[in-house]
Amino acid sequence: MKIAKLTLIACAATILSGCATLEEASTSLSCMLSRVTNVADPSCGTGGGSSAPATTMSGGHSERFSRLQAALNQETQHAQSIQAQAVQAMQSLPVKQRAVAGPVLTQPVPIADAQSGQTLQMRAFSSVSVEMPLAAKGRKEYTRAMDLLKELANELADNRGAASIVVDQADADVKAGRVNTATGTTQSKGGKPVSVIKRIDAGVPSGVERYTIEAGAIRGKL
């Protein structure tokens, strides 16, 4: 299941007033919540063009914050699931060629309720890491794991407006030319930037690259 489009929180209209057009509705917090919770809102649609008022979402600010936190929790759970799938994809390889799961990090994000003026600290997904052995490169299992991580990065870029793939490498591997140090920016299917960042990290052992998928920042009001 695709995670809901969280960057789209920055709609000018509030969750209660809705958005005036289909295009605007697709970028509202109410539509984000409807996708995440699988509660269909026909006015959200999948793209712009025609006009339709967004369905008003009822409930006090406590309920709206609760529903938003549930949506943010689901994004974190999705990232954990992709991490687990990437690690599992390499479990049939020899032990030293298997991926190792790193931390799944969240961070506090202040979200303001435009109706009540109250601001609460929500807990949102930040990043997920997987350590990938160089010895497994070229194996179909390695390719499958990498495809999963890249797919997550592209999903997050579409959902948050941007994402990064940070690759930490051992100094010895860089000096020996065993790793690709090229950086750059690609685009997701939705045209959002995915930055590829390479850096030397003394904490990464030789023969391993640590891939960290980082989500873009959440901005906007509830």
Side-chain angles (χ1 to χ4, degrees), residues 35-99:
R35 291 191 183 100
V36 168
T37 57
N38 293 321
V39 178
D41 183 346
S43 65
C44 291
T46 58
S50 60
S51 295
T55 300
T56 296
M57 296 185 70
S58 61
H61 68 270
S62 294
E63 179 183 349
R64 295 195 298 276
F65 277 124
S66 177
R67 295 178 72 179
L68 175 58
Q69 187 60 68
L72 295 174
N73 291 346
Q74 191 169 24
E75 186 185 44
T76 301
Q77 292 162 9
H78 178 75
Q80 289 176 315
S81 175
I82 295 299
Q83 180 194 55
Q85 291 176 50
V87 171
Q88 182 59 39
M90 297 176 66
Q91 284 302 294
S92 62
L93 297 176
V95 174
K96 292 185 178 180
Q97 294 184 23
R98 297 175 187 172

